Amino acid sequence: MLLRKELGVVENSYYEASVQRAARFEPARPLEGIATADVCVVGGGLAGLSAALELAMRGYAVVLLEAQRVGWGASGRNGGQVIVGFGADGEEAIEKQFTPEDARRAWDISVEGLDLLQDRIASHAIDCDWQAGYLNLSVKPAKSRALREWMDHVGRVHGYPLQWLGPGEVAQCVDSKRFDGGTFDVRSGHLHPLKYSLGLASAARAAGAQLHENSAAQVIERGARPVVKTAQGEVRCSFVVLAGNVYLAEYGDDVAPEVSSRIMPVGTYMIATEPMEPARADALMRGRPAASDTNFVLDYFRLSADHRLLFGSGDSYSARTPRNLIEKIRKSMLAVFPQLADLGIDHAWGGFVDITMNKAPDFGRIGTNIYYLQGFSGHGLALTGMAGKLAAEAIAGQAERFDLFARIGHHAFPGGTLLRTPALVLGMMYYRLRDFL
């Protein structure tokens, strides 16, 4: 499978290099033999861990299966940006399909995701380098006008306050001449995603959930009591929560073919500089917020707790690691921060996120007792927490909020698994050209 090619990049992940896994989460043994549970959760990323934690805290017997290691997928190697909402495209899709009242309910659930993340960090003492503040930046006047319109819309329709920054104010926040305007969100922010994932795993285990790594779900025998089978064992349960996301799309034809065609793997890649002096880092981004621009093929960046710049640029819709990865991202970084030309690059890594056609989240049921959570489209750090909570609520009999999201309409990517990638690559060439022009 093409996704296997990412391993060469992941091995140099800054997140993995800066974490002692065993100190934060004792490795979980693979599943062997027969296990019984109320709920089997498939996927040890943020959505699956959130569901396992919420269900275990409600008293359910939970078994979680992870094909690799906890936080191995996008949950442990993403940009670390915790952002309210669903992205402009996802929000537009939701507002077109919903009444204004229901669109506001969905938005408010995303805001609750920020609060839930903060509560979990505090309640479970998760040390994950949380830093408040997020900048959404435009690179030219036309994009600034569009960003200002979006900010006004969010304030008017959803009652969510954002601060507008003109060129001079942006320059005071980010030591770069690249940006023309921006918005500042005091409630969004950033963290170390792998530390947070491992903290959730420890919390779920402490609540009573059984976690098994290196235990890929291979097939689900459906019925009133589903059976989730792995290479060495099986879980007999009453409910299943599928939280495999992009890996479900690539390897899930025997697990959930009904929904795997509705998400697309998109590669995202980052570099980490060598550490700077703290004062230099502080001057680079005042207050150390997270930041991204509004280009379709965007740059996103933030400072780490140990004073490195973490910088991501571009996406790969071909499921192949780009050639000359470090050189390409470094070039983008220097276009934003030319004053960092003297810094070496210590780490480069990547992974795959799952996007839907309309960029809105895709939650729902298969039958009556298999739930799925997917399609976070790059906005998952806060929303995955709420996704797990909503699935737990639905299993417990309070499905109103889960069903709100389940009403969002989605289409399969055209061409199936063979043609969806080249079709999307052609589309991305168009948007890259549009950004350039």
Side-chain angles (χ1 to χ4, degrees):
M1 294 288 186
L2 289 174
L3 289 179
R4 300 295 186 188
K5 293 181 180 292
E6 67 185 322
L7 289 173
V9 176
V10 174
E11 288 174 355
N12 196 23
S13 164
Y14 163 73
Y15 299 132
E16 290 285 355
S18 57
V19 165
Q20 293 289 333
R21 274 184 172 264
R24 291 178 176 267
F25 175 74
E26 183 180 347
R29 292 181 299 177
L31 176 69
E32 295 181 350
I34 298 173
T36 59
D38 297 319
V39 186
C40 178
V41 177
V42 178
L46 290 170
L49 292 168
S50 175
L53 174 59
E54 290 286 339
L55 288 161
M57 290 175 63
R58 289 171 178 264
Y60 288 87
V62 180
V63 172
L64 180 146
L65 304 176
E66 164 55 39
Q68 301 286 338
R69 295 176 297 169
V70 164
W72 182 86
S75 295
R77 30 180 147 142
N78 60 68
Q81 303 204 3
V82 183
I83 306 172
V84 72
F86 313 100
D89 291 337
E91 289 153 18
E92 181 181 1
I94 290 172
E95 290 178 14
K96 284 182 177 179
Q97 295 185 37
F98 283 2
T99 65
E101 294 76 17
D102 283 345
R104 174 64 182 268
R105 289 174 61 209
W107 175 272
D108 287 346
I109 287 172
S110 83
V111 177
E112 185 181 336
L114 300 177
D115 296 333
L116 179 64
L117 181 140
Q118 292 286 329
D119 179 68
R120 286 176 172 169
I121 291 173
S123 299
H124 305 291
I126 301 176
D127 177 12
C128 58
D129 305 336
W130 166 254
Q131 175 66 53
Y134 169 68
L135 293 167
N136 198 6
L137 303 170
S138 53
V139 298
K140 54 188 177 183
K143 289 184 177 291
S144 292
R145 289 191 293 271
L147 180 59
R148 183 66 182 263
E149 290 175 2
W150 172 82
M151 184 195 79
D152 292 342
H153 175 81
V154 166
R156 182 177 64 256
V157 174
H158 299 309
Y160 190 84
L162 295 167
Q163 179 186 352
W164 178 253
L165 304 174
E169 295 163 311
V170 168
Q172 292 177 11
C173 296
V174 181
D175 189 14
S176 173
K177 297 180 179 179
R178 179 166 171 77
F179 304 110
D180 178 76
T183 62
F184 179 71
D185 180 0
V186 69
R187 294 189 66 180
S188 297
H190 61 98
L191 50 68
H192 191 301
L194 184 55
K195 289 181 180 180
Y196 182 60
S197 297
L198 297 177
L200 280 188
S202 294
R205 176 181 277 168
Q210 297 181 38
L211 278 59
H212 296 279
E213 296 179 307
N214 299 307
S215 301
Q218 296 181 338
V219 67
I220 298 177
E221 293 181 357
R222 303 183 186 183
R225 290 279 297 173
V227 179
V228 184
K229 294 191 173 183
T230 70
Q232 300 178 42
E234 61 183 47
V235 182
R236 299 174 181 177
C237 55
S238 298
F239 298 94
V240 178
V241 176
L242 297 176
N245 299 306
V246 69
Y247 299 99
L248 183 65
E250 290 300 302
Y251 309 128
D253 286 347
D254 294 328
V255 176
E258 301 95 329
V259 299
S260 61
S261 63
R262 297 214 297 263
I263 52 177
M264 172 78 182
V266 175
T268 63
Y269 303 93
M270 298 184 70
I271 58 175
T273 68
E274 61 185 314
M276 293 175 263
E277 291 296 321
R280 185 180 184 185
D282 290 335
L284 195 70
M285 299 181 72
R286 190 181 68 182
R288 300 197 174 204
S292 63
D293 66 34
T294 62
N295 288 341
F296 189 87
V297 183
L298 55 80
D299 294 336
Y300 51 98
F301 48 93
R302 64 190 187 90
L303 291 163
S304 67
D306 59 350
H307 320 301
R308 304 170 187 268
L309 182 68
L310 310 184
F311 194 97
S313 180
D315 298 315
S316 171
Y317 284 70
S318 68
R320 296 180 182 273
T321 301
R323 295 181 179 179
N324 303 318
L325 177 68
I326 295 176
E327 292 82 356
K328 288 182 178 179
I329 300 181
R330 185 174 185 272
K331 181 178 179 181
S332 296
M333 180 189 79
L334 294 180
V336 178
F337 297 115
Q339 65 269 42
L340 301 186
D342 62 310
L343 291 181
I345 305 301
D346 282 352
H347 300 276
W349 72 100
F352 287 83
V353 298
D354 56 332
I355 67 166
T356 57
M357 283 279 286
N358 60 12
K359 301 293 184 67
D362 185 9
F363 308 161
R365 298 176 185 81
I366 301 171
T368 60
N369 56 5
I370 299 176
Y371 294 76
Y372 62 88
L373 308 169
Q374 62 181 22
F376 297 98
S377 302
H379 283 76
L381 256 173
L383 189 58
T384 46
M386 285 306 300
K389 183 175 183 177
L390 298 186
E393 289 176 359
I395 289 172
Q398 299 294 323
E400 182 180 359
R401 300 206 301 172
F402 183 88
D403 287 342
L404 175 69
F405 282 86
R407 285 168 40 204
I408 301 173
H410 292 277
H411 296 285
F413 280 90
T417 56
L418 291 178
L419 296 180
R420 66 182 178 185
T421 292
L424 215 55
V425 169
L426 289 175
M428 285 303 298
M429 291 174 63
Y430 163 76
Y431 282 109
R432 286 179 186 273
L433 179 61
R434 194 174 74 169
D435 280 343
F436 177 75
L437 295 176

